[in-house]
Amino acid sequence: MALSNFSTDLSVVTVNGRRIQDWGDTATPYTDAPIDPRSQLRRGQGGSAVRLDRINPGRTVNLYLNPGSADSAYLQGLFNSGANISLSFTQIGTLETAVGTEGVIVNDGQRGRAGSTISDDQFIIEFNVWTASRG
């Protein structure tokens, strides 16, 4: 049995062709999750049910970057300009991949500054089209 390695140096994330590398201090600097359920079950009062499948449930991605970094400035520029977003994710050595297209940066996150600690720069991206595989 092989040992899987999920280190940040083996996580390749690109946004609009640029590799993102300056991850912040958040324990999980990259996350993705579905926006809508892929399938829903509608149960009637008479005991029968109907299955409703969504062709494309979409995906939301959170990126947590080091504040003041060039990667954060790049994403802030995309956010400010309203650019369409494409993203690719590859976890080298575990066979996990994902590609998101038809995306938009929907928001940035809370900003904590001027204290004994600061927060990461967070960017929230939603994708209409998402294709992924897991190891």
Side-chain angles (χ1 to χ4, degrees), residues 3-18:
L3 182 62
S4 296
N5 187 339
F6 290 90
S7 301
T8 55
D9 62 330
L10 297 178
S11 299
V12 180
V13 177
T14 63
V15 175
N16 286 17
R18 178 190 175 112

Side-chain angles (χ1 to χ4, degrees), residues 34-92:
I35 295 172
D36 300 306
R38 181 179 175 115
S39 298
Q40 293 180 332
L41 186 65
R42 182 183 182 275
R43 299 179 57 224
Q45 294 183 36
S48 63
V50 176
R51 178 184 179 137
L52 303 165
D53 290 334
R54 185 177 295 274
I55 293 171
N56 198 357
R59 203 79 175 171
T60 185
V61 172
N62 285 280
L63 301 177
Y64 296 88
L65 304 177
N66 209 20
S69 68
D71 287 342
S72 181
Y74 174 73
L75 283 169
Q76 186 68 51
L78 293 174
F79 179 52
N80 291 346
S81 70
N84 292 336
I85 304 298
S86 62
L87 177 143
S88 67
F89 171 85
T90 303
Q91 187 69 49
I92 297 171

